[in-house]
PDB file of all heavy atoms in Angstrom:
ATOM      1  N   TYR A  86     -84.025 -52.545 -75.690  1.00  0.00           N
ATOM      2  CA  TYR A  86     -83.107 -52.749 -76.668  1.00  0.00           C
ATOM      3  C   TYR A  86     -82.808 -54.290 -77.050  1.00  0.00           C
ATOM      4  O   TYR A  86     -82.931 -54.653 -78.169  1.00  0.00           O
ATOM      5  CB  TYR A  86     -81.722 -52.153 -76.203  1.00  0.00           C
ATOM      6  CG  TYR A  86     -80.504 -52.525 -77.019  1.00  0.00           C
ATOM      7  CD1 TYR A  86     -80.279 -51.899 -78.294  1.00  0.00           C
ATOM      8  CD2 TYR A  86     -79.589 -53.441 -76.559  1.00  0.00           C
ATOM      9  CE1 TYR A  86     -79.236 -52.209 -79.064  1.00  0.00           C
ATOM     10  CE2 TYR A  86     -78.464 -53.800 -77.318  1.00  0.00           C
ATOM     11  CZ  TYR A  86     -78.318 -53.167 -78.500  1.00  0.00           C
ATOM     12  OH  TYR A  86     -77.211 -53.514 -79.234  1.00  0.00           O
ATOM     13  N   PHE A  87     -82.830 -55.093 -75.936  1.00  0.00           N
ATOM     14  CA  PHE A  87     -82.685 -56.554 -76.034  1.00  0.00           C
ATOM     15  C   PHE A  87     -83.858 -57.136 -76.854  1.00  0.00           C
ATOM     16  O   PHE A  87     -83.700 -57.917 -77.744  1.00  0.00           O
ATOM     17  CB  PHE A  87     -82.571 -57.077 -74.689  1.00  0.00           C
ATOM     18  CG  PHE A  87     -82.434 -58.578 -74.512  1.00  0.00           C
ATOM     19  CD1 PHE A  87     -81.263 -59.201 -74.816  1.00  0.00           C
ATOM     20  CD2 PHE A  87     -83.526 -59.306 -74.133  1.00  0.00           C
ATOM     21  CE1 PHE A  87     -81.169 -60.612 -74.700  1.00  0.00           C
ATOM     22  CE2 PHE A  87     -83.512 -60.677 -73.920  1.00  0.00           C
ATOM     23  CZ  PHE A  87     -82.175 -61.319 -74.262  1.00  0.00           C
ATOM     24  N   THR A  88     -85.036 -56.813 -76.403  1.00  0.00           N
ATOM     25  CA  THR A  88     -86.349 -57.396 -77.036  1.00  0.00           C
ATOM     26  C   THR A  88     -86.418 -56.984 -78.493  1.00  0.00           C
ATOM     27  O   THR A  88     -86.736 -57.747 -79.387  1.00  0.00           O
ATOM     28  CB  THR A  88     -87.573 -57.023 -76.283  1.00  0.00           C
ATOM     29  OG1 THR A  88     -87.727 -55.646 -76.235  1.00  0.00           O
ATOM     30  CG2 THR A  88     -87.503 -57.576 -74.833  1.00  0.00           C
ATOM     31  N   GLU A  89     -86.116 -55.716 -78.838  1.00  0.00           N
ATOM     32  CA  GLU A  89     -86.284 -55.259 -80.095  1.00  0.00           C
ATOM     33  C   GLU A  89     -85.308 -55.797 -81.121  1.00  0.00           C
ATOM     34  O   GLU A  89     -85.523 -56.269 -82.193  1.00  0.00           O
ATOM     35  CB  GLU A  89     -86.122 -53.740 -80.192  1.00  0.00           C
ATOM     36  CG  GLU A  89     -87.320 -52.919 -79.569  1.00  0.00           C
ATOM     37  CD  GLU A  89     -87.222 -51.462 -79.678  1.00  0.00           C
ATOM     38  OE1 GLU A  89     -86.088 -50.916 -79.563  1.00  0.00           O
ATOM     39  OE2 GLU A  89     -88.327 -50.807 -79.756  1.00  0.00           O
ATOM     40  N   LYS A  90     -83.999 -56.102 -80.575  1.00  0.00           N
ATOM     41  CA  LYS A  90     -82.944 -56.710 -81.275  1.00  0.00           C
ATOM     42  C   LYS A  90     -83.469 -58.218 -81.533  1.00  0.00           C
ATOM     43  O   LYS A  90     -83.175 -58.744 -82.643  1.00  0.00           O
ATOM     44  CB  LYS A  90     -81.665 -56.764 -80.495  1.00  0.00           C
ATOM     45  CG  LYS A  90     -80.592 -57.118 -81.239  1.00  0.00           C
ATOM     46  CD  LYS A  90     -79.825 -55.739 -81.660  1.00  0.00           C
ATOM     47  CE  LYS A  90     -78.394 -56.145 -81.928  1.00  0.00           C
ATOM     48  NZ  LYS A  90     -77.707 -55.137 -82.738  1.00  0.00           N
ATOM     49  N   PHE A  91     -84.011 -58.928 -80.630  1.00  0.00           N
ATOM     50  CA  PHE A  91     -84.527 -60.267 -80.881  1.00  0.00           C
ATOM     51  C   PHE A  91     -85.643 -60.190 -81.836  1.00  0.00           C
ATOM     52  O   PHE A  91     -85.562 -61.066 -82.831  1.00  0.00           O
ATOM     53  CB  PHE A  91     -85.009 -60.878 -79.477  1.00  0.00           C
ATOM     54  CG  PHE A  91     -85.559 -62.296 -79.565  1.00  0.00           C
ATOM     55  CD1 PHE A  91     -84.636 -63.278 -79.864  1.00  0.00           C
ATOM     56  CD2 PHE A  91     -86.874 -62.482 -79.585  1.00  0.00           C
ATOM     57  CE1 PHE A  91     -85.231 -64.621 -79.955  1.00  0.00           C
ATOM     58  CE2 PHE A  91     -87.290 -63.819 -79.714  1.00  0.00           C
ATOM     59  CZ  PHE A  91     -86.522 -64.805 -79.971  1.00  0.00           C
ATOM     60  N   ILE A  92     -86.574 -59.472 -81.673  1.00  0.00           N
ATOM     61  CA  ILE A  92     -87.687 -59.473 -82.573  1.00  0.00           C
ATOM     62  C   ILE A  92     -87.219 -59.128 -84.008  1.00  0.00           C
ATOM     63  O   ILE A  92     -87.632 -59.804 -84.970  1.00  0.00           O
ATOM     64  CB  ILE A  92     -88.760 -58.356 -82.087  1.00  0.00           C
ATOM     65  CG1 ILE A  92     -89.478 -58.993 -80.800  1.00  0.00           C
ATOM     66  CG2 ILE A  92     -89.783 -58.163 -83.281  1.00  0.00           C
ATOM     67  CD1 ILE A  92     -90.382 -57.985 -80.133  1.00  0.00           C
ATOM     68  N   LYS A  93     -86.413 -58.060 -84.178  1.00  0.00           N
ATOM     69  CA  LYS A  93     -85.977 -57.740 -85.550  1.00  0.00           C
ATOM     70  C   LYS A  93     -85.053 -58.748 -86.182  1.00  0.00           C
ATOM     71  O   LYS A  93     -85.115 -59.033 -87.450  1.00  0.00           O
ATOM     72  CB  LYS A  93     -85.225 -56.337 -85.528  1.00  0.00           C
ATOM     73  CG  LYS A  93     -86.102 -55.214 -85.216  1.00  0.00           C
ATOM     74  CD  LYS A  93     -85.391 -53.925 -85.046  1.00  0.00           C
ATOM     75  CE  LYS A  93     -86.273 -52.753 -84.735  1.00  0.00           C
ATOM     76  NZ  LYS A  93     -85.550 -51.572 -84.564  1.00  0.00           N
ATOM     77  N   THR A  94     -84.296 -59.500 -85.377  1.00  0.00           N
ATOM     78  CA  THR A  94     -83.349 -60.538 -85.946  1.00  0.00           C
ATOM     79  C   THR A  94     -84.026 -61.782 -86.128  1.00  0.00           C
ATOM     80  O   THR A  94     -83.850 -62.486 -87.180  1.00  0.00           O
ATOM     81  CB  THR A  94     -82.118 -60.769 -84.918  1.00  0.00           C
ATOM     82  OG1 THR A  94     -81.462 -59.426 -84.670  1.00  0.00           O
ATOM     83  CG2 THR A  94     -81.183 -61.683 -85.433  1.00  0.00           C
ATOM     84  N   VAL A  95     -84.812 -62.291 -85.153  1.00  0.00           N
ATOM     85  CA  VAL A  95     -85.338 -63.728 -85.248  1.00  0.00           C
ATOM     86  C   VAL A  95     -86.763 -63.651 -85.836  1.00  0.00           C
ATOM     87  O   VAL A  95     -87.205 -64.701 -86.484  1.00  0.00           O
ATOM     88  CB  VAL A  95     -85.436 -64.306 -83.805  1.00  0.00           C
ATOM     89  CG1 VAL A  95     -86.130 -65.673 -83.797  1.00  0.00           C
ATOM     90  CG2 VAL A  95     -84.062 -64.353 -83.304  1.00  0.00           C
ATOM     91  N   GLN A  96     -87.482 -62.538 -85.738  1.00  0.00           N
ATOM     92  CA  GLN A  96     -88.839 -62.472 -86.143  1.00  0.00           C
ATOM     93  C   GLN A  96     -89.747 -63.669 -85.619  1.00  0.00           C
ATOM     94  O   GLN A  96     -90.245 -64.457 -86.323  1.00  0.00           O
ATOM     95  CB  GLN A  96     -88.938 -62.461 -87.657  1.00  0.00           C
ATOM     96  CG  GLN A  96     -88.263 -61.206 -88.230  1.00  0.00           C
ATOM     97  CD  GLN A  96     -88.206 -61.177 -89.779  1.00  0.00           C
ATOM     98  OE1 GLN A  96     -88.514 -62.186 -90.466  1.00  0.00           O
ATOM     99  NE2 GLN A  96     -87.740 -60.020 -90.254  1.00  0.00           N
ATOM    100  N   PRO A  97     -89.794 -63.670 -84.286  1.00  0.00           N
ATOM    101  CA  PRO A  97     -90.502 -64.786 -83.640  1.00  0.00           C
ATOM    102  C   PRO A  97     -91.993 -64.756 -83.862  1.00  0.00           C
ATOM    103  O   PRO A  97     -92.555 -63.679 -84.048  1.00  0.00           O
ATOM    104  CB  PRO A  97     -90.123 -64.635 -82.119  1.00  0.00           C
ATOM    105  CG  PRO A  97     -90.015 -63.146 -82.039  1.00  0.00           C
ATOM    106  CD  PRO A  97     -89.346 -62.672 -83.343  1.00  0.00           C
ATOM    107  N   GLN A  98     -92.610 -65.899 -83.642  1.00  0.00           N
ATOM    108  CA  GLN A  98     -94.123 -65.961 -83.800  1.00  0.00           C
ATOM    109  C   GLN A  98     -94.670 -65.414 -82.534  1.00  0.00           C
ATOM    110  O   GLN A  98     -95.745 -64.834 -82.500  1.00  0.00           O
ATOM    111  CB  GLN A  98     -94.549 -67.422 -83.999  1.00  0.00           C
ATOM    112  CG  GLN A  98     -94.112 -67.997 -85.264  1.00  0.00           C
ATOM    113  CD  GLN A  98     -94.057 -69.527 -85.215  1.00  0.00           C
ATOM    114  OE1 GLN A  98     -93.237 -70.125 -84.490  1.00  0.00           O
ATOM    115  NE2 GLN A  98     -94.996 -70.125 -85.853  1.00  0.00           N
ATOM    116  N   ILE A  99     -93.959 -65.612 -81.380  1.00  0.00           N
ATOM    117  CA  ILE A  99     -94.355 -65.173 -80.059  1.00  0.00           C
ATOM    118  C   ILE A  99     -93.086 -64.682 -79.237  1.00  0.00           C
ATOM    119  O   ILE A  99     -92.022 -65.063 -79.600  1.00  0.00           O
ATOM    120  CB  ILE A  99     -95.113 -66.239 -79.240  1.00  0.00           C
ATOM    121  CG1 ILE A  99     -94.238 -67.476 -79.099  1.00  0.00           C
ATOM    122  CG2 ILE A  99     -96.407 -66.522 -79.706  1.00  0.00           C
ATOM    123  CD1 ILE A  99     -94.613 -68.506 -78.221  1.00  0.00           C
TER     124      ILE A  99
END
Side-chain angles (χ1 to χ4, degrees):
Y86 169 74
F87 178 76
T88 60
E89 288 179 329
K90 195 99 160 161
F91 178 75
I92 290 169
K93 289 175 182 177
T94 304
V95 176
Q96 299 177 347
Q98 295 158 292
I99 54 168

